[in-house]
Amino acid sequence: MPLALTSRKSLKDNEESLKTNLALIEKSLGETFTIEFDFEDIITKCNDSWVTNSCGSIFYKDVVSNLAKNIAKVGADPLIKEAFLAAVPNRKFIFICADEKLPSYWKYQFENGDCQVLFRPKICNTNDINIFKLETIIPTEGVYTLMTHNLAAVKKALKSSVDWSIDETSLETVYPKVADDLKNSFGHIFAGIVEKVAANLTKRCADEMILEAVQEVTSKQTIVIKHDGNMSGYWSWAFESGNIVITFKSITNTNDVQTFDFIKLL
């Protein structure tokens, strides 16, 4: 069924807003992207004269503007940006009108190489599109990219000739200890922990004596993750059996990994 004249006029009147916001997205990501709407489906499901008559200003001007603001934050972090691009090989955003059972007004998901944005038929809370932290749901291939980059940063900090790795068995062991509401973000959380390990090493190992001392106690070039619910702080470092061992009590105050003074352990 063709769109009503008021709908078509609203979309035409707001085409420049769409082009402007899409240009901002492409600038943030450094890649050409497309945005897809099925307005016949959206207008039918919303069944609201406001959406019918103002679909252009709602979606092209408001919704895509909030998307562009969020993507600007993604693009500002090189690691998150690369992970996002790895997760969206089709370089496409698709907006999909779901139903009232959707758990939130707006929901991002990565499916079939696209970044999909689902929403309830009752259009509201469009700022949620902007404030949602996309890095918390980047799928496996994106998280792998983050982890690989962060391990490379550890290697660089220690001037190592051998690639560093994270002990997969240790990650599997601590997974049950993470709160249920964080399990979907588990990979990204620990990619972030490795990033903080790298930052700490980069800072303190700028001193050649400290660098040499760390090199001597990290012969296995591996980061091991452990959990200890009884430790006094939230995060600690140790050098054990040629590994860097990062132990946590709970997933909070993660910046402690970056500020921990491991020099006293050498």
Side-chain angles (χ1 to χ4, degrees), residues 146-241:
L146 283 175
M147 186 69 81
T148 300
H149 273 279
N150 294 341
L151 287 168
V154 172
K155 176 183 178 180
K156 181 179 179 181
L158 293 178
K159 298 181 179 179
S160 175
S161 60
V162 179
D163 288 342
W164 273 71
S165 63
I166 189 163
D167 185 79
E168 296 288 344
T169 301
S170 73
L171 287 175
E172 292 173 5
T173 301
V174 302
Y175 180 79
K177 306 297 182 181
V178 174
D180 288 343
D181 62 339
L182 296 176
K183 282 185 166 63
N184 288 339
S185 307
F186 183 83
H188 185 271
I189 289 169
F190 282 95
I193 294 303
V194 174
E195 180 183 15
K196 294 181 186 301
V197 168
N200 199 339
L201 290 168
T202 299
K203 177 181 178 181
R204 300 185 197 280
C205 291
D207 184 306
E208 286 295 327
M209 289 185 65
I210 296 171
L211 173 62
E212 291 177 7
V214 174
Q215 289 172 335
E216 289 176 5
V217 295
T218 57
S219 58
K220 292 185 178 177
Q221 291 86 33
T222 301
I223 297 172
V224 176
I225 306 295
K226 293 184 177 181
H227 175 263
D228 180 356
N230 297 315
M231 61 190 289
S232 57
Y234 288 105
W235 297 86
S236 70
W237 283 56
F239 298 101
E240 299 175 3
S241 304

Side-chain angles (χ1 to χ4, degrees), residues 11-248:
L11 292 172
K12 182 175 177 57
D13 288 347
N14 289 278
E15 275 184 355
E16 287 304 312
S17 292
L18 174 64
K19 291 178 182 178
T20 298
N21 290 320
L22 181 57
L24 291 173
I25 290 169
E26 293 178 338
K27 181 179 179 181
S28 296
L29 297 175
E31 297 275 354
T32 299
F33 268 74
T34 58
I35 301 177
E36 182 177 298
F37 295 97
D38 182 344
F39 281 111
E40 289 186 21
D41 183 67
I42 290 171
I43 289 170
T44 299
K45 288 180 177 177
C46 289
N47 192 28
D48 184 325
S49 60
W50 173 59
V51 176
T52 299
N53 297 328
S54 306
C55 53
S57 61
I58 293 169
F59 288 96
Y60 287 177
K61 191 173 184 179
D62 184 15
V63 168
V64 182
S65 173
N66 277 295
L67 174 64
K69 291 174 185 175
N70 198 333
I71 295 303
K73 290 177 281 188
V74 170
D77 187 313
L79 295 177
I80 296 174
K81 173 183 173 180
E82 185 158 353
F84 180 86
L85 290 173
V88 192
N90 294 342
R91 304 296 191 256
K92 183 188 294 185
F93 295 96
I94 302 177
F95 284 84
I96 300 172
C97 188
D99 56 40
E100 291 297 341
K101 294 180 182 179
L102 195 70
S104 56
Y105 285 106
W106 299 87
K107 177 186 177 183
Y108 285 95
Q109 65 183 26
F110 296 90
E111 291 286 342
N112 303 317
D114 303 317
C115 179
Q116 299 180 351
V117 186
L118 282 64
F119 57 95
R120 293 179 186 175
K122 182 176 176 58
I123 307 296
C124 62
N125 294 7
T126 55
N127 190 53
D128 290 355
I129 306 165
N130 171 24
I131 63 177
F132 184 82
K133 294 184 177 181
L134 275 165
E135 63 269 24
T136 64
I137 62 165
I138 292 175
T140 303
E141 62 269 30
V143 172
Y144 179 79
T145 300
L146 283 175
M147 186 69 81
T148 300
H149 273 279
N150 294 341
L151 287 168
V154 172
K155 176 183 178 180
K156 181 179 179 181
L158 293 178
K159 298 181 179 179
S160 175
S161 60
V162 179
D163 288 342
W164 273 71
S165 63
I166 189 163
D167 185 79
E168 296 288 344
T169 301
S170 73
L171 287 175
E172 292 173 5
T173 301
V174 302
Y175 180 79
K177 306 297 182 181
V178 174
D180 288 343
D181 62 339
L182 296 176
K183 282 185 166 63
N184 288 339
S185 307
F186 183 83
H188 185 271
I189 289 169
F190 282 95
I193 294 303
V194 174
E195 180 183 15
K196 294 181 186 301
V197 168
N200 199 339
L201 290 168
T202 299
K203 177 181 178 181
R204 300 185 197 280
C205 291
D207 184 306
E208 286 295 327
M209 289 185 65
I210 296 171
L211 173 62
E212 291 177 7
V214 174
Q215 289 172 335
E216 289 176 5
V217 295
T218 57
S219 58
K220 292 185 178 177
Q221 291 86 33
T222 301
I223 297 172
V224 176
I225 306 295
K226 293 184 177 181
H227 175 263
D228 180 356
N230 297 315
M231 61 190 289
S232 57
Y234 288 105
W235 297 86
S236 70
W237 283 56
F239 298 101
E240 299 175 3
S241 304
N243 303 313
I244 293 177
V245 178
I246 304 297
T247 304
F248 71 98

